[in-house]
Amino acid sequence: MDRVNTNYEVLSDEAGRPIKAWTVGVPFEDEAKKQLRNLRGLPFIHKWVAVMPDVHRGYGATVGSVVPTVGAVVPAAVGVDIGCGMIAVRTTLRADQLPDSLRGVRSAIEAAVPHGRTDNGGRNDRGAWKDSPVTHTAAWARLAEGYARIVAKHPRIGRGPELAHLGTLGTGNHFIELCVDESDGVWLMLHSGSRGVGNRIGSHFIELAKQDMERFFIHLPDADLAYLPEGTEHFDDYVFAVSWAQDFAAMNRELMLHSAVEALKASGELPPFELSESAVNCHHNYISREHHFGKNCFVTRKGAVRAREGDMGIIPGSMGARSYIVRGKGNADAFHSCSHGAGRVMSREAAKKRFTLEDHAKATAGVECRKDVDVIDETPAAYKPIDAVMAAQADLVEVVHTLKQVVCVKG
């Protein structure tokens, strides 16, 4: 029987195994609930599955889910965008120092950071480096040994770009934004992950987990919930590869932030400025070893951010909505987590069919950004209202800064 707690909904089955969902006042689709019930039924779930207010149906496992496990991990519960996350930093710029037209600012960022995808990801892909900058090559040197170890055992993972994607944005909901906060301070914020190499790692181990389920004669309600038992070779290989991809993703964001800052300083569009606060850099698709309710466990967050007491995090809205710099409250029932954004309220295909360019231009009025047909699937109305999402998780985080974008670069 389902019920509503003061702060969250509880979805229970006959055995009493709960799903605790911070979804009061926000859409919670039936398909997502079905996925979560399948996930909740796995025998190695620790206590319950926690659900964030940006929840929506995902590949294999639900986006906006926090999955604590003992003795096994589910690769699809991380997904293929391993280490995807956010980074943001406040500058010394003030809103009144920005030019009337921000087109030159957007152009400077677009010229400095490869973004998008062309040529089917081939040699002429504009979203990859043809010649990586020296700083990026030096950063890759710190990752190369771990990557070689992964590829030595799983050669398929090595069949694609890695260094050429380090310091690049990608496509979909990844973005770079210039934002103004509640005190007219100017921030630089971006969203991206481990790019093609993370996708190859995720896809490879999801398939290996499915093969292991067949070999062990384990039948699941959803084949995408195939898991890797602790103590097996594939488990150890996967945990190492995920950790490496998370490091790649964090470095990817740091390099892009540096490139964007340097490009803006050299653009001639802005007065001299510096960075005034330490950058907030957080994952939201990843695995972490943590201790909850008396047990050491693996916590898999897919579309969720760790929000221990005092942890700083970023919760972005859509292209035309506010975003938030937050501080975690350390809510134990949520396994110290919060949402990773607003969360989709409809699929990309549905958004393309429903909204027009006029709708998108109106929703992004005042934002210097792409307003063409290829970004209709990212239009604000394709996402849940960020205000409702924040209200639903008031006991998970407190708002430190409220940001509104004035420039948005999309792949």
Side-chain angles (χ1 to χ4, degrees):
M1 178 180 294
D2 300 346
R3 68 183 190 276
V4 178
N5 184 284
T6 304
N7 299 314
Y8 53 81
E9 299 178 80
V10 180
L11 285 64
S12 298
D13 65 3
E14 296 78 6
R17 294 169 298 184
I19 297 167
K20 297 187 177 183
W22 276 259
T23 51
V24 177
V26 295
F28 191 179
E29 60 187 324
D30 288 340
E31 283 297 309
K33 291 179 181 178
K34 180 180 178 181
Q35 279 192 323
L36 288 161
R37 287 187 167 108
N38 286 338
L39 180 62
R40 179 259 311 277
L42 295 174
F44 45 82
I45 298 295
H46 177 49
K47 292 295 184 179
W48 52 77
V49 173
V51 179
M52 301 297 102
D54 53 346
V55 60
H56 57 279
R57 187 180 185 278
Y59 172 71
T62 319
V63 179
S65 59
V66 181
V67 187
T69 59
V70 176
V73 293
V74 181
V78 178
V80 297
D81 198 0
I82 300 169
C84 187
M86 302 285 304
I87 191 169
V89 66
R90 191 177 187 179
T91 75
T92 56
L93 288 169
R94 309 292 299 168
D96 60 9
Q97 294 177 297
L98 298 177
D100 292 336
S101 172
L102 292 165
R103 185 174 294 271
V105 170
R106 176 160 75 101
S107 296
I109 296 172
E110 289 175 338
V113 179
H115 55 285
R117 186 174 186 269
T118 57
D119 193 30
N120 292 315
R123 183 177 301 175
N124 297 313
D125 179 16
R126 70 177 176 88
W129 295 105
K130 289 183 174 58
D131 295 299
S132 293
V134 173
T135 52
H136 295 47
T137 303
W140 172 253
R142 301 196 293 274
L143 294 166
E145 183 179 349
Y147 184 64
R149 173 178 162 182
I150 294 166
V151 171
K153 294 191 72 174
H154 302 276
R156 286 178 54 198
I157 291 172
R159 297 173 188 170
E162 64 291 296
L163 171 57
H165 275 178
L166 188 59
T168 70
L169 185 63
T171 61
N173 62 355
H174 294 165
F175 61 79
I176 303 173
E177 290 183 343
L178 203 67
C179 306
V180 176
D181 69 15
E182 70 287 344
S183 301
D184 287 336
V186 176
W187 291 67
L188 193 62
M189 178 173 75
L190 66 87
H191 171 214
S192 191
S194 52
R195 303 287 282 112
V197 65
N199 187 296
R200 296 195 301 274
I201 288 170
S203 299
H204 177 70
F205 281 99
I206 288 171
E207 186 58 35
L208 286 183
K210 289 180 178 180
Q211 293 174 12
D212 285 351
M213 294 297 96
E214 293 179 6
R215 188 157 54 93
F216 300 148
F217 299 102
I218 295 173
H219 302 286
L220 299 167
D222 182 347
D224 287 327
L225 294 181
Y227 57 86
L228 300 172
E230 193 167 7
T232 64
E233 183 179 7
H234 287 165
F235 175 95
D236 292 338
D237 290 353
Y238 177 66
V239 170
F240 179 84
V242 165
S243 177
W244 181 89
Q246 290 167 194
D247 290 343
F248 181 104
M251 188 173 291
N252 187 41
R253 291 190 289 272
E254 290 172 2
L255 289 169
M256 280 189 286
L257 184 72
H258 176 77
S259 294
V261 167
E262 293 305 304
L264 291 177
K265 287 182 175 181
S267 68
E269 298 286 331
L270 301 170
F273 69 92
E274 301 298 330
L275 305 184
S276 64
E277 294 184 18
S278 297
V280 180
N281 193 352
C282 57
H283 298 310
H284 53 228
N285 289 348
Y286 72 110
I287 293 178
S288 176
R289 296 177 189 265
E290 299 179 15
H291 187 85
H292 294 277
F293 297 102
K295 278 196 174 183
N296 294 326
C297 58
F298 288 91
V299 176
T300 300
R301 294 182 176 91
K302 184 174 185 177
V305 176
R306 185 160 64 187
R308 297 170 302 186
E309 186 172 2
D311 276 350
M312 299 300 294
I314 307 166
I315 302 177
S318 59
M319 289 177 74
R322 288 185 292 275
S323 298
Y324 298 89
I325 306 297
V326 298
R327 182 182 293 113
K329 292 185 175 181
N331 188 303
D333 283 347
F335 301 103
H336 302 166
S337 306
C338 68
S339 84
H340 82 310
R344 298 195 70 89
V345 76
M346 66 181 70
S347 70
R348 295 186 181 280
E349 285 305 311
K352 289 176 181 177
K353 292 176 182 177
R354 181 168 176 179
F355 300 113
T356 65
L357 284 176
E358 185 180 358
D359 295 331
H360 179 63
K362 186 175 180 180
T364 58
V367 181
E368 173 58 46
C369 64
R370 289 176 57 189
K371 302 182 192 283
D372 57 81
V373 68
D374 289 335
V375 294
I376 289 292
D377 57 342
E378 283 294 306
T379 201
Y383 286 83
K384 299 179 186 182
I386 189 64
D387 291 345
V389 168
M390 295 305 296
Q393 59 185 332
D395 62 331
L396 305 184
V397 293
E398 62 176 319
V399 174
V400 179
H401 294 292
T402 300
L403 311 183
K404 179 64 178 72
Q405 74 277 74
V406 291
V407 176
C408 178
V409 171
K410 282 278 188 182

